[in-house]
Amino acid sequence: MKKLTRPVAVLVAAVAGLALAAAPASAAPNAQDQEFLVAAHQGNLAEIAAGQAALAEAATPGVKEMGQQLVTDHTALDAQLTAVAQQLGVALPGTPTPEQQAALAEVQAEDGQDFDTAWLYLQIESHRATLALGERELAAGSEQAVKDLATASAPVVQRHLDHALMLARELGVDAVPAGTGGQAAASERPLGLALSLVGGLLLAGAGVLVARSHRTTPAARRR
């Protein structure tokens, strides 16, 4: 019996090794996961920049206060997001989208109350777009760590949206109702800012999908 001890131990170890090898590896992030990580990261960078702009240029104390809130909260959210992206091997851009940068530059071209009004329009629409991005991730994402990011960020983003809507009411600004396509906007210019930012989020997601399609195998292309 003692002679069988070592061979049996070796056999058990071999079987255990085969079982570990056969175990499924952690699922790679799908296209939706990658879209969320890239777009949410750029959204965080855009909100941090917008918050800094409000701190420097807003005429209303409430807008300045919200600007600081954006800087604090989106810095924290982005730290969590970048850690997950690094773990999953998803490369993140270093700046907001060109559309997001252009939208903020247009807001910064305004002064005083006009700046505050344009800034609030931008925040209302950008935070609505971010909430929609999170909903798409929860519906179609495959990586639980990324879905957890969407779940954790939603109440923060909703709080910012509620704050912006409250400030808009206090300043007599007509907020663009969700789902109206912008028909209720008081002017075309703030709406254009909002739509350019939403377009930036959509382009970020499209870029991820195009990048994945370029990695299709030659055999698949021949078919």
Side-chain angles (χ1 to χ4, degrees):
M1 291 297 293
K2 290 183 179 180
K3 292 181 180 180
L4 295 177
T5 300
R6 181 177 175 82
V8 170
V10 172
L11 178 60
V12 170
V15 171
L18 289 173
L20 288 173
S26 176
N30 65 9
Q32 174 56 51
D33 295 326
Q34 294 181 57
E35 175 192 343
F36 178 86
L37 289 171
V38 170
H41 171 64
Q42 290 186 295
N44 286 331
L45 296 181
E47 299 299 358
I48 292 168
Q52 292 168 339
L55 287 170
E57 302 178 45
T60 307
V63 173
K64 284 183 178 289
E65 178 186 349
M66 183 172 174
Q68 182 59 64
Q69 184 182 59
L70 293 187
V71 172
T72 300
D73 291 348
H74 283 281
T75 298
L77 289 175
D78 204 56
Q80 298 169 11
L81 185 150
T82 53
V84 171
Q86 185 175 16
Q87 291 170 3
L88 297 176
V90 176
L92 298 176
T95 61
T97 68
E99 293 77 14
Q100 289 166 331
Q101 295 178 59
L104 181 57
E106 192 168 349
V107 169
Q108 291 181 287
E110 305 289 351
D111 294 314
Q113 183 73 35
D114 290 337
F115 172 92
D116 292 355
T117 298
W119 190 87
L120 286 171
Y121 268 113
L122 188 59
Q123 296 318 307
I124 290 167
E125 289 305 307
S126 66
H127 283 82
R128 283 175 174 159
T130 300
L131 287 173
L133 177 69
E135 290 172 358
R136 291 198 301 275
E137 171 58 27
L138 293 176
S142 66
E143 177 59 52
Q144 189 59 47
V146 182
K147 298 175 82 167
D148 288 345
L149 287 173
T151 299
S153 65
V156 179
V157 176
Q158 183 65 56
R159 185 170 68 250
H160 293 170
L161 174 58
D162 292 342
H163 193 174
L165 289 168
M166 179 193 72
L167 290 172
R169 288 192 297 270
E170 290 178 354
L171 297 178
V173 175
D174 291 329
V176 183
T180 66
Q183 294 91 334
S187 70
E188 291 298 323
R189 185 169 186 179
L191 177 59
L193 293 172
L195 291 179
S196 68
L197 183 135
V198 174
L201 286 174
L202 295 176
L203 286 172
V208 172
L209 294 176
V210 169
R212 285 179 63 86
S213 68
H214 287 170
R215 293 198 296 270
T216 306
T217 61
R221 292 196 194 99
R222 286 197 296 271
R223 290 199 296 271

